[in-house]
Amino acid sequence: MTAVGNGAQTAGRPTRLPRSARRKQLLAAAQEVFVAQGYHAAAMDDIAERAGVSKPVLYQHFPGKMELYLALLDTHCDAIVANVQGAMSSTSDNKERVSAAVRAYFDFVDHESEAFRLVFESDLRNDPAVRQRVERVEQGCIAAITDTIISDTGVSRSHAELLASGLVGAAETAAQFWLAGGRQVPKAEAEALVAALSWRGIASFPLQGESA
C-alpha cells in the first residue's frame, strides 16, 4: 500500500507538518481507505499506514475511527449542498438552474475520489450521527431549490418543497444509476436528459406576474 506523502525529509527525518496540513493528509488517507473498504472493514492501522504516520500521530488528531468518518462526511455533505446552492445563484435563467443542479449531482458521483459513496452508499446509514448528516444533504439541497421556486413562481412553500424534492431525487438517483451502469450514456448527454425531464415539469408553473 502506497502512503500518502507526509512532508519533505530533512537529514533523514520527516518535516513536522502544520496541524492543519497533517489533518488534511490524514483525512485524504482515511477517505481512500473508507471508500475502498467501507467503514466496518477499515481499521485505524490501515489509515495510519496509508498516511505514512504512526497510530499515535493519527490519534492526536482524531480520537477514533468514527470521528474521522464524520469529519469526512461533514466535508462532502457541505460540498454537495454548496454546489446546489451555487447552481441556484449562478444564473437567473431557470432552465440553466435546473441543468446546473443536475450537473452538481453528476459531478459529485463522477469524481475520481468516489467520495459520494461515503454520503449515498454508507454502510453506517443507521447510525444516528451519520443519518443526520445524510439527511442534512437532502434537506439543504431541497431548501436551496425550494427558495428559488418560491421566489420565481409564488407557489406555496409546501408545493415548492415537493417540487424541489422531486428534482433532487431525480438528479441523485439518475446520477448513481448512470455511474453503476458503467457510464453507457456520455455524461453531458445524461445530464441533459435528466435536466430536460425535470425542466418540462417545473416549466409548467408560470413565473410570478405571468398567466398560467
Side-chain angles (χ1 to χ4, degrees):
M1 183 178 289
T2 303
V4 174
N6 62 347
Q9 300 286 324
T10 303
R13 300 177 63 182
T15 301
R16 184 179 180 87
L17 289 176
R19 185 172 183 83
S20 60
R22 178 68 76 192
R23 178 183 172 86
K24 184 177 181 181
Q25 174 205 8
L26 296 176
L27 286 171
Q31 179 170 307
E32 293 181 5
V33 173
F34 285 137
V35 165
Q37 301 181 23
Y39 178 83
H40 293 295
M44 292 294 269
D45 284 325
D46 299 327
I47 296 169
E49 179 184 352
R50 185 71 186 88
V53 301
S54 64
K55 279 180 68 177
V57 169
L58 180 56
Y59 281 112
Q60 285 175 10
H61 293 264
F62 298 97
K65 187 167 70 167
M66 178 59 80
E67 286 75 16
L68 256 174
Y69 195 84
L70 293 179
L72 281 169
L73 265 187
D74 283 335
T75 297
H76 296 299
C77 287
D78 290 346
I80 185 62
V81 172
N83 288 343
V84 172
Q85 290 172 336
M88 294 299 101
S89 62
S90 63
T91 177
S92 59
D93 184 315
N94 286 325
K95 186 175 182 180
E96 288 301 317
R97 282 171 168 163
V98 170
S99 295
V102 170
R103 190 179 310 117
Y105 278 92
F106 274 81
D107 285 347
F108 186 53
V109 303
D110 194 39
H111 195 275
E112 63 181 9
S113 69
E114 296 188 88
F116 81 94
R117 299 191 187 281
L118 303 178
V119 179
F120 297 141
E121 298 180 359
S122 174
D123 54 353
L124 275 182
R125 291 292 288 265
N126 291 328
D127 180 89
V130 173
R131 185 171 62 250
Q132 184 271 331
R133 285 163 169 80
V134 173
E135 289 174 351
R136 190 181 78 215
V137 170
E138 183 176 277
Q139 292 165 359
C141 293
I142 289 174
I145 297 171
T146 294
D147 290 340
T148 301
I149 292 174
I150 291 174
S151 174
D152 284 355
T153 68
V155 300
S156 69
R157 176 162 291 276
S158 59
H159 284 71
E161 285 175 339
L162 192 56
L163 290 168
S165 70
L167 174 55
V168 166
E172 178 185 327
T173 301
Q176 292 184 75
F177 181 85
W178 169 78
L179 185 67
R183 301 179 176 89
Q184 295 184 41
V185 178
K187 183 182 175 188
E189 185 179 343
E191 293 170 356
L193 284 170
V194 178
L197 174 64
S198 300
W199 174 244
R200 284 179 183 273
I202 293 177
S204 67
F205 290 86
L207 297 177
Q208 292 199 71
E210 292 182 353
S211 299

